[in-house]
Amino acid sequence: MKRILSGIQPSGALHLGNYLGMMRPAVELQQQGEALYFIADLHALTSLHDADALRRHSRDVALDFLACGLDPSRALLFRQSDIPKISLLSWILSTVTPMGLLERCHSYKDKTARGLAATHALFSYPVLMAADILIYDSDIVPVGKDQKQHLEVTRDIAVKMNETFGDIFKLPEPSIREDAAVVPGTDGAKMSKSYGNTIEIFAEEKAMRKKFMGIVTDSTPVEAPKDPESSSIYQLYRLFSSADDAAAMAERFRAGGTGYGDFKKQLFGTVWEYFAPMRAKRAELEADPGYVDGILRTGAEKANAIAEKVMARVEAAVGLR
Ligand code: ADP
Ligand code: TRP
């Protein structure tokens, strides 16, 4: 059986890009193998130094994941920091990781360019991510396209380890959905917390409507034909509707006579309805904190059992045991 693994940073409220790029595929994949999903709180520390906010976001991500369909009878859910050997493996991996490999990573350059402090942790972030993946002998890693390079780094580090110490690790494969590889934000650029162009999946109705109505459009007049493919309204709608409904909207774009405002309203209505059952589930879960704690505890126990086995192999191979 294939082992599927992914993580998400608790650095803020989840948005449509996180949901479509990572969470929805991860939930779908839990049917196809042994799934492990975790809250990457150690990674979040690279950008968030506010203890209360980190605790709150970590809890929110757990609620979001469960509300969006993570089935605890099929998939494990746990906090990264509950797996102590991650940090040990990260150190071991860093001893074979060439500086040049990390220097090539876009993420460090992008994040420091946007004002994040140029810390050692931000620079070595891909090594910690490699440890997350390799410590469970993961086969498949569902992520958005922006994480593709980190998977390549993980594979390079695994190959280096195998060359240096003998066959220790298997090489994981990313799973990237082409249709949701880069979900556009309200300004048409990649939706991202750091660009201020996000639509949060569990926003209040009024706030969510406002975000949709604020999607940036060109100045094509109401009566003129419009190109669906170049519009983020249509690109988002397509990801939440049936093929028939998407084709119908594309047709109305091309026909002219409908303004962007009407398309935005239709998109908002569809997305609001789409998340209705998940909002209800989330409210239920929020009322029962003990239940969520129990899931995280069980998840950590089972994940640790897998990690310990792999680490026994690693520690023996490198000579620590
Ligand atoms: P952000 O860019 O908002 O900080 P993260 O880097 O925390 O988002 O991403 C968490 C997960 O969501 C990753 O797997 C990432 O690839 C995916 N993801 C984030 N934004 C998008 C997007 N706009 N389109 C597709 N996937 C995305
Ligand atoms: N770096 C990922 C992100 O920013 C989160 C993450 C950490 C992750 N460790 C992982 C994703 C391991 C997949 C597998 O979204």
Side-chain angles (χ1 to χ4, degrees):
M1 189 145 65
K2 295 274 185 204
R3 195 166 280 158
I4 302 145
L5 170 114
S6 196
I8 188 152
Q9 289 191 66
S11 48
L14 295 191
H15 54 72
L16 298 180
N18 301 140
Y19 176 75
L20 296 164
M22 183 272 190
M23 217 173 238
R24 185 162 79 177
V27 166
E28 283 168 17
L29 278 171
Q30 72 187 346
Q31 318 291 343
Q32 292 170 30
E34 185 186 0
L36 290 90
Y37 299 134
F38 69 94
I39 301 157
D41 49 5
L42 298 178
H43 275 106
L45 273 176
T46 59
S47 64
L48 183 64
H49 288 156
D50 174 339
D52 285 334
L54 182 57
R55 272 188 284 271
R56 199 174 56 245
H57 291 321
S58 294
R59 177 139 212 104
D60 279 345
V61 169
L63 288 170
D64 291 348
F65 234 131
L66 291 164
C68 289
L70 183 142
D71 174 357
S73 70
R74 286 181 175 277
L76 304 181
L77 179 65
F78 55 95
R79 280 191 209 95
Q80 183 184 27
S81 59
D82 279 336
I83 315 300
K85 291 255 160 125
I86 290 284
S87 306
L88 175 60
L89 180 58
S90 183
W91 178 256
I92 295 171
L93 299 183
S94 76
T95 67
V96 302
T97 304
M99 286 295 283
L101 191 62
L102 299 180
E103 277 160 1
R104 280 196 293 278
C105 288
H106 308 302
S107 152
Y108 177 78
K109 288 181 242 174
D110 293 350
K111 287 179 178 174
T112 50
R114 289 197 315 251
L116 276 184
T119 59
H120 176 245
L122 197 61
F123 184 72
S124 60
Y125 178 119
V127 183
L128 180 61
M129 182 156 164
D132 289 328
I133 297 170
L134 299 175
I135 205 167
Y136 310 107
D137 280 336
S138 310
D139 296 294
I140 302 168
V141 184
V143 281
K145 199 175 177 180
D146 56 345
Q147 297 297 319
K148 189 168 181 233
Q149 190 181 38
H150 290 154
L151 263 294
E152 287 159 8
V153 169
T154 300
R155 289 169 62 95
D156 284 351
I157 294 176
V159 168
K160 261 275 193 247
M161 284 292 289
N162 291 349
E163 282 168 3
T164 313
F165 298 109
D167 243 357
I168 313 182
F169 292 120
K170 49 164 111 165
L171 302 187
E173 297 281 348
S175 159
I176 298 168
R177 292 291 169 84
E178 278 316 313
D179 61 344
V182 184
V183 176
T186 52
D187 59 356
K190 179 204 153 197
M191 187 178 288
S192 172
K193 282 180 284 259
S194 28
Y195 300 157
N197 63 358
T198 55
I199 300 176
E200 283 69 38
I201 62 177
F202 290 119
E204 297 288 335
E205 187 170 3
K206 234 174 112 181
M208 193 191 259
R209 181 183 294 113
K210 203 169 153 201
K211 291 266 181 126
F212 277 110
M213 297 315 287
I215 292 176
V216 175
T217 51
D218 59 28
S219 51
T220 315
V222 173
E223 57 289 356
K226 300 171 184 66
D227 175 26
E229 298 299 334
S230 62
S231 160
S232 11
I233 305 173
Y234 174 70
Q235 286 171 31
L236 286 170
Y237 183 75
R238 192 173 46 184
L239 290 163
F240 287 103
S241 59
S242 66
D244 285 352
D245 288 348
M249 182 184 270
E251 194 43 50
R252 287 175 62 226
F253 260 79
R254 291 192 194 97
T258 308
Y260 285 122
D262 287 336
F263 289 125
K264 289 178 187 176
K265 279 186 205 146
Q266 186 181 349
L267 170 62
F268 163 70
T270 301
V271 174
W272 182 254
E273 279 307 304
Y274 179 92
F275 285 107
M278 301 174 211
R279 273 191 300 275
K281 175 90 185 160
R282 199 178 188 287
E284 237 175 72
L285 292 162
E286 227 172 343
D288 191 356
Y291 172 77
V292 179
D293 288 341
I295 298 216
L296 292 174
R297 205 175 319 117
T298 312
E301 272 165 26
K302 293 189 175 163
N304 265 315
I306 300 171
E308 289 290 346
K309 258 199 210 152
V310 176
M311 283 309 285
R313 201 166 78 212
V314 175
E315 287 170 52
V318 304
L320 291 173
R321 289 287 172 274

